[in-house]
Amino acid sequence: MDKFHSLKGIAAPLPIVNIDTDMIIPKQFLKTIKRTGLGVSLFYEMRYDNDGNLIKDFVLNTSPYDQSKILVAGDNFGCGSSREHAPWSLKDFGIRSVISTSFADIFYNNCFQNGILPIVVSPENLDQLMTAAKNQIEFTIDLPEQVIKAGNHLIKFEIEEFRKERLLQGLDDIGITLGYKDKINAYEEDKKNKKPWLFKNN
Amino acid sequence: MSNQGPKTLFDKIWSEHLVGQREDGTNLLYIDRHLVHEVTSPQAFEGLKISNRPVHRPEATIAVADHNVPTINRQNIEDPQSKIQVETLAKNTKEHGIQYFDLMDQRQGIVHIIGPEQGITQPGMTIVCGDSHTSTHGAFGALAFGIGTSEVEHVLATQTIVQNPAKNMRISVNGELPFGVNSKDLILYIIGKIGTAGGTGHVIEYAGSSIMGLSMEGRMTICNMSIEAGARAGLISPDQTTFNYIKGRPYAPGTEHWDQAVEYWSSLPSDNDANYDHEIVIDSSEIDPMVTWGTSPEDVVSVKGTVPNPSSAKTENKKKSIERSLEYMGLKPGTKITDIKLDKIFIGSCTNGRIEDLRKVASIVKDKKIASHVQAMIVPGSGLVKKQAEEEGIDKILKDAGFEWREAGCSMCLGMNPDQLKPGERCASTSNRNFEGRQGRGGRTHLMSPELAAASAITGNISDIRDFT
Ligand code: SF4
């Protein structure tokens, strides 16, 4: 997995609440059997009109935001479907961090599987960052220090230690768990005796 | 979480499935059953291949194609991409020795319909699927939640998942349900009350006499939409209704283990004095048949109500969000809900595509005709639901009334197959999401119960089942 250490750049403001994963990447793009190539379809219905032309005033279609690596969005970002195509499309576009007041659980988790850092900030801080993003002020996100800098704002954020480590080192989660294979096998042996019906399959 | 003291249903399932702690402090949770569908699995199988990893326990996984499949002419999937996705699932499952219900198998259907139908879903299990509506299976007292594709790969390779415990929330609904009010109205009401982020970080246990009085189908409708309240999962304590439903199904415990299983299942309900991080109590007499007016499942209102006015919003953000929804929905503040004219009716999905739902619709539309300006479609949740309905003559009643009778699948719930709304079309839908573009670009979705959708099909407007004779 890609590592994440720190990030510098212009952040795109998207002041909409409850941005769901259908909005991030609509169904017609879920037919792929690959993880890559979804960036052009990110926010498809907000970004393109019915004929497939770019909608000029949508933020990610305007310079310098079309190069954004950071997104500042309204409450409850990533709600709805579990599709990992949502973080895949964000990443493929170039977005490596999303800042909001809250994230839906599955989306939040999916981000970390893909080297994307979702950051939860207070509503007051979100307002400040939204304004900074609109004013095209450069953001710096420092994961080791757990801090966002934007102009004269300096905002600390929380992240669980194991998630931080995984991002910093780009660890392979399955590889780690397979290191516990003996424990998994022992668990199964124990349950085969105690709950045998769970191990009978027709 | 301590091992002593009173425990919730969630606590019990959690501790029973804890394999251990990894060095990074995370918990490894054992997964009893893994359901797989065509849309969220190809990249997981590809990942296994790249790392040359086998599937740890293939017999714990069951696969089916549902999201992409046509509901007419299924021998031939016209969309080449959909076709590749379905074929890829067939190939991957074969390669790894995973059971797959193919499109011609009568057991094929929406993954959350067939799990319970086959008896795969059982109390006390942990169940995951690369699909957020996995919460449906919580109706059986199983801890069931949706996961992303990377986690699908993790479960295939290790039969475990990395998780930290959720918080416990209990929503109790008490009292007899008023006439015309059913499980769909209940869950829409709850989502309206707590909001789409109300359950974030929590597992919601539904309790109280209104909930325990529901059939398994009704309980599944409730748990299904837990994700629309932001919860990780929904749970209902298993009881005799649950056991009766499971008994005799193909994957249910056989006679040799039945008593032992029931004894274990009976130990699962939350202890009386268990502690919840959050409690909500609702009196069911306050609930009306509910309908959504906007583009989030929390945008609910009584069918007797009106479209809200943005100026009544408490915050500037809320006001903007209502304005945005109304513009998308093409609705004016103050419009009576029952004055909203419809173009399409969709009955189906993992929320309301079960036999009980189809029976209700049939009883309402029997000997009537749908309004001439609407197109109505009914998509059974599984091949077996379809078969059962045909045996009961339900298909005939529906077809006579003017409904299109389709093959099983997700269909217009998300419109990945050709069943879609056109821009501006307005649909009464028994599904679970009314997001912008969900049922087709520019499509306008009003979520409601099968009863309301059936009545609305006849009148052509959103209708209150209580006025309907
Ligand atoms: S019916 Fe709809 S919500 Fe249910 S699994 Fe299919 S697409 Fe998802």
Side-chain angles (χ1 to χ4, degrees):
Chain A
M1 196 188 72
D2 291 353
K3 293 183 188 177
F4 186 109
H5 192 268
S6 58
L7 196 60
K8 219 186 191 75
I10 302 291
L14 205 55
I16 303 174
V17 296
N18 295 328
I19 292 180
D20 57 73
T21 53
D22 277 76
M23 267 160 111
I24 299 173
I25 185 85
K27 56 195 156 259
Q28 62 269 38
F29 305 107
L30 308 187
K31 294 179 184 176
T32 175
I33 55 171
K34 301 276 167 230
R35 283 181 157 96
T36 48
L38 290 166
V40 288
S41 314
L42 175 70
F43 293 118
Y44 189 83
E45 290 180 7
M46 290 197 268
R47 236 165 112 206
Y48 301 93
D49 65 18
N50 283 333
D51 303 318
N53 302 313
L54 282 181
I55 296 173
K56 294 241 162 46
D57 57 356
F58 180 64
V59 62
L60 294 182
N61 291 338
T62 61
S63 173
Y65 298 118
D66 53 356
Q67 301 297 320
S68 292
K69 300 190 186 99
I70 303 163
L71 203 62
V72 185
D75 313 344
N76 196 28
F77 188 86
C79 57
S81 148
S82 64
R83 58 189 71 167
E84 201 163 313
H85 308 70
W88 293 338
S89 60
L90 285 165
K91 189 171 177 192
D92 201 58
F93 180 90
I95 305 259
R96 293 297 302 277
S97 179
V98 185
I99 304 171
S100 177
T101 57
S102 58
F103 293 90
D105 285 334
I106 304 176
F107 176 83
Y108 187 76
N109 218 2
N110 281 342
C111 281
F112 289 99
Q113 307 280 358
N114 292 283
I116 296 175
L117 173 63
I119 302 178
V120 178
V121 297
S122 69
E124 297 74 40
N125 286 337
L126 189 80
D127 283 346
Q128 293 162 348
L129 293 174
M130 198 66 83
T131 308
K134 284 180 185 156
N135 293 333
Q136 303 185 3
I137 289 169
E138 189 178 64
F139 281 47
T140 305
I141 295 173
D142 185 330
L143 178 57
E145 293 298 320
Q146 297 180 211
V147 64
I148 308 170
K149 290 180 209 144
N152 36 20
H153 300 299
L154 196 91
I155 296 166
K156 290 281 284 177
F157 61 86
E158 296 298 320
I159 177 171
E160 288 163 288
E161 201 51 39
F162 79 97
R163 297 196 192 270
K164 181 173 172 179
E165 276 313 300
R166 271 187 55 205
L167 278 183
L168 288 172
Q169 300 183 41
L171 296 174
D172 163 26
D173 211 22
I174 299 177
I176 302 176
T177 299
L178 284 173
Y180 298 86
K181 196 143 188 199
D182 290 349
K183 275 199 159 182
I184 298 170
N185 290 338
Y187 176 93
E188 286 176 337
E189 284 313 311
D190 180 46
K191 296 300 170 199
K192 267 180 205 166
N193 288 323
K194 292 189 179 133
K195 296 193 274 183
W197 66 91
L198 290 177
F199 291 83
K200 274 206 60 133
N201 262 300
N202 315 42
Chain B
M1 199 185 311
S2 79
N3 284 326
Q4 265 81 52
K7 286 172 148 191
T8 64
L9 169 56
F10 168 75
D11 299 340
K12 292 181 193 184
I13 303 176
W14 177 269
S15 54
E16 184 68 24
H17 289 82
L18 215 46
V19 173
Q21 234 182 22
R22 301 198 308 189
E23 257 171 46
D24 60 8
T26 56
N27 295 297
L28 272 185
L29 197 68
Y30 191 77
I31 298 302
D32 291 316
R33 290 294 178 271
H34 185 193
L35 305 169
V36 164
H37 68 78
E38 79 278 22
V39 177
T40 56
S41 66
Q43 294 86 350
F45 283 107
E46 182 195 52
L48 289 180
K49 189 170 234 161
I50 292 169
S51 319
N52 200 15
R53 287 172 176 148
V55 173
H56 177 75
R57 195 182 149 206
E59 65 281 8
T61 297
I62 308 250
V64 70
D66 54 2
H67 281 64
N68 249 312
V69 303
T71 53
I72 33 178
N73 292 337
R74 24 186 29 157
Q75 271 84 353
N76 182 23
I77 306 181
E78 271 177 23
D79 181 329
Q81 276 187 301
S82 297
K83 188 166 178 193
I84 290 175
Q85 218 171 38
V86 173
E87 285 170 358
T88 304
L89 182 62
K91 187 176 109 303
N92 285 331
T93 48
K94 187 153 181 233
E95 200 172 305
H96 292 280
I98 291 167
Q99 171 138 38
Y100 171 56
F101 297 161
D102 70 36
L103 279 194
M104 292 302 137
D105 192 321
Q106 238 173 17
R107 298 171 296 176
Q108 182 271 345
I110 304 170
V111 64
H112 309 308
I113 302 262
I114 68 167
E117 188 172 80
Q118 290 297 317
I120 295 164
T121 306
Q122 296 165 22
M125 279 181 165
T126 47
I127 302 174
V128 294
C129 173
D131 191 285
S132 57
H133 290 102
T134 310
S135 59
T136 312
H137 308 266
F140 291 79
L143 178 60
F145 48 90
I147 56 178
T149 299
S150 297
E151 291 172 307
V152 169
E153 186 180 337
H154 191 283
V155 176
L156 287 170
T158 70
Q159 206 57 42
T160 64
I161 197 153
V162 180
Q163 277 260 316
N164 283 330
K167 287 191 240 163
N168 282 291
M169 178 187 294
R170 179 163 63 184
I171 300 182
S172 306
V173 190
N174 297 310
E176 204 177 315
L177 292 177
F179 170 72
V181 173
N182 221 316
S183 53
K184 184 65 164 282
D185 307 300
L186 254 173
I187 188 65
L188 286 174
Y189 180 85
I190 289 170
I191 297 162
K193 196 167 172 102
I194 71 173
T196 48
T200 304
H202 291 79
V203 164
I204 301 179
E205 181 179 337
Y206 303 94
S209 59
S210 317
I211 301 286
M212 299 318 288
L214 293 171
S215 65
M216 287 318 293
E217 282 86 353
R219 293 180 192 184
M220 285 188 251
T221 303
I222 301 272
C223 287
N224 173 275
M225 290 190 73
S226 301
I227 187 73
E228 271 65 54
R232 238 187 250 180
L235 276 174
I236 294 175
S237 278
D239 62 3
Q240 198 58 44
T241 308
T242 321
F243 311 152
N244 293 349
Y245 181 97
I246 297 170
K247 194 162 191 178
R249 292 185 183 263
Y251 288 77
T255 36
E256 75 277 29
H257 294 128
W258 179 258
D259 292 342
Q260 194 187 355
V262 170
E263 193 188 325
Y264 172 65
W265 297 344
S266 305
S267 73
L268 289 168
S270 298
D271 299 332
N272 281 338
D273 36 3
N275 219 349
Y276 292 85
D277 301 286
H278 212 95
E279 282 240 45
I280 294 171
V281 179
I282 294 170
D283 178 351
S284 68
S285 66
E286 63 193 69
I287 306 176
D288 267 348
M290 305 301 285
V291 174
T292 63
W293 53 265
T295 55
S296 163
E298 69 187 20
D299 298 342
V300 293
V301 63
S302 156
V303 68
K304 281 276 173 276
T306 55
V307 174
N309 197 322
S311 62
S312 65
K314 289 200 186 77
T315 64
E316 191 55 25
N317 270 346
K318 188 72 202 162
K319 180 168 170 252
K320 276 201 205 124
S321 119
I322 297 178
E323 282 167 353
R324 186 187 161 92
S325 290
L326 291 186
E327 193 191 326
Y328 181 86
M329 293 297 290
L331 290 174
K332 298 239 165 342
T335 308
K336 277 176 71 181
I337 294 296
T338 46
D339 284 344
I340 298 174
K341 193 173 167 194
L342 298 160
D343 304 301
K344 291 213 164 143
I345 312 288
F346 171 66
I347 291 169
S349 89
C350 58
T351 315
N352 285 119
R354 283 171 282 267
I355 188 70
E356 191 175 273
D357 303 309
L358 271 47
R359 284 187 192 129
K360 281 182 197 149
V361 173
S363 74
I364 294 164
V365 306
K366 191 170 190 310
D367 301 326
K368 298 198 175 67
K369 290 268 180 243
I370 61 170
S372 57
H373 67 273
V374 302
Q375 188 196 350
M377 178 164 86
I378 188 151
V379 183
S382 73
L384 288 173
V385 168
K386 179 167 187 266
K387 180 168 169 256
Q388 169 89 34
E390 287 171 354
E391 279 166 12
E392 294 179 19
I394 287 174
D395 61 320
K396 179 140 192 333
I397 296 173
L398 295 167
K399 282 189 271 190
D400 286 348
F403 278 85
E404 292 171 33
W405 179 245
R406 299 293 187 91
E407 302 282 346
C410 293
S411 178
M412 210 161 68
C413 174
L414 91 166
M416 262 188 94
N417 74 349
D419 309 333
Q420 290 188 16
L421 293 182
K422 294 191 197 70
E425 274 187 335
R426 190 179 296 284
C427 178
S429 179
T430 66
S431 57
N432 45 49
R433 288 190 175 136
N434 51 348
F435 297 157
E436 286 180 24
R438 170 80 177 181
Q439 296 191 294
R441 185 175 187 142
R444 296 161 171 166
T445 304
H446 294 277
L447 302 175
M448 62 187 75
S449 68
E451 292 90 332
L452 257 58
S456 305
I458 302 297
T459 60
N461 272 9
I462 296 182
S463 295
D464 187 344
I465 182 71
R466 296 170 301 186
D467 302 336
F468 194 81
T469 40

